[in-house]
Amino acid sequence: MPVDAEERRERLLWLLREREKPVSGGNLAELLGVSRQVVVHDIAILRAKGEDIMATPQGYVLFTGMKRKPCKVFAVRHTPEEIEDELKTIIIYGGKVLDVIVEHPLYGELRGMLMLASLADLQEFMTKYRSYEAKPLSALTGGVHLHSVEADNEQRLLTIEEELRKKNYLLDEA
């Protein structure tokens, strides 16, 4: 017997609450016995109802009720060729790169969810970046962008800041 839409959406929320890591739309579709397009539709409806569901390159994640670690926003600038090194620097010193943010003159703040916590995540991201031949959001702002970075403790965030400064990725505060 088919599950009604409301019941399916409740199950979708339950599936997201039960997982600590993002779940792909394809995986959710398989678990719910529907198409990926139905999942995308359901996610849109749940967001419109106020659910804090974020789409990341690894899949969907529900932020409501998640334990938050210390977080810092870094203002950085670099060339497209330095993207991998910048992200790798953050990751190897214990950071999780949550997003990339740029300020667009027409649209205001544009945010891309990254959720990069490991070198494997970074490798997957860079493979996609190269295969899509896409320009990074920072191309809209001459390389200037922000990253929200999460870490287990404040000291790791300070170390990340120091390492980004050594590589001249941090924007000057002067």
Side-chain angles (χ1 to χ4, degrees):
M1 177 152 197
V3 175
D4 78 356
E6 241 355 90
E7 196 175 319
R8 185 184 60 244
R9 290 183 195 116
E10 282 303 314
R11 176 136 170 80
L12 192 155
L13 281 173
W14 180 83
L15 289 166
L16 291 175
R17 281 187 191 106
E18 290 299 304
R19 287 164 174 78
E20 293 180 18
K21 294 186 177 196
V23 185
S24 73
N27 192 1
L28 287 168
E30 186 178 315
L31 291 168
L32 295 168
V34 296
S35 70
R36 188 180 182 296
Q37 190 55 41
V38 169
V39 169
V40 170
H41 180 83
D42 284 351
I43 295 285
I45 289 171
L46 289 167
R47 283 177 172 162
K49 288 182 175 183
E51 295 294 343
D52 197 7
I53 301 170
M54 301 299 291
T56 73
Q58 294 84 18
Y60 296 104
V61 64
L62 183 64
F63 278 114
T64 307
M66 287 181 71
K67 257 198 306 188
R68 298 303 303 211
K69 295 180 179 181
C71 189
K72 182 172 176 68
V73 176
F74 294 103
V76 293
R77 179 185 317 172
H78 55 74
T79 66
E81 296 76 29
E82 295 170 316
I83 289 173
E84 187 169 9
D85 183 62
E86 176 222 23
L87 295 171
K88 183 177 182 179
T89 300
I90 294 168
I91 292 167
I92 64 173
Y93 287 99
K96 177 178 183 178
V97 186
L98 302 177
D99 58 22
V100 58
I101 306 164
V102 296
E103 289 292 326
H104 191 274
L106 179 60
Y107 299 111
E109 184 179 281
L110 299 177
R111 179 183 307 249
M113 298 306 294
L114 295 176
M115 306 302 278
L116 304 174
S118 68
L119 293 178
D121 291 345
L122 175 60
Q123 188 59 44
E124 183 180 331
F125 174 78
M126 292 307 299
T127 298
K128 286 179 183 177
Y129 171 68
R130 291 180 184 113
S131 70
Y132 294 150
E133 297 180 19
K135 292 189 180 202
L137 283 178
S138 60
L140 297 170
T141 56
V144 174
H145 57 286
L146 305 172
H147 283 302
S148 303
V149 176
E150 184 181 80
D152 287 338
N153 56 58
E154 294 291 335
Q155 184 56 51
R156 287 186 191 235
L157 291 172
L158 290 171
T159 301
I160 291 166
E161 182 173 12
E162 181 180 317
E163 294 302 320
L164 290 172
R165 182 171 283 112
K166 283 181 190 174
K167 293 185 175 195
N168 294 314
Y169 292 147
L170 280 184
L171 284 178
D172 262 339
E173 296 173 9

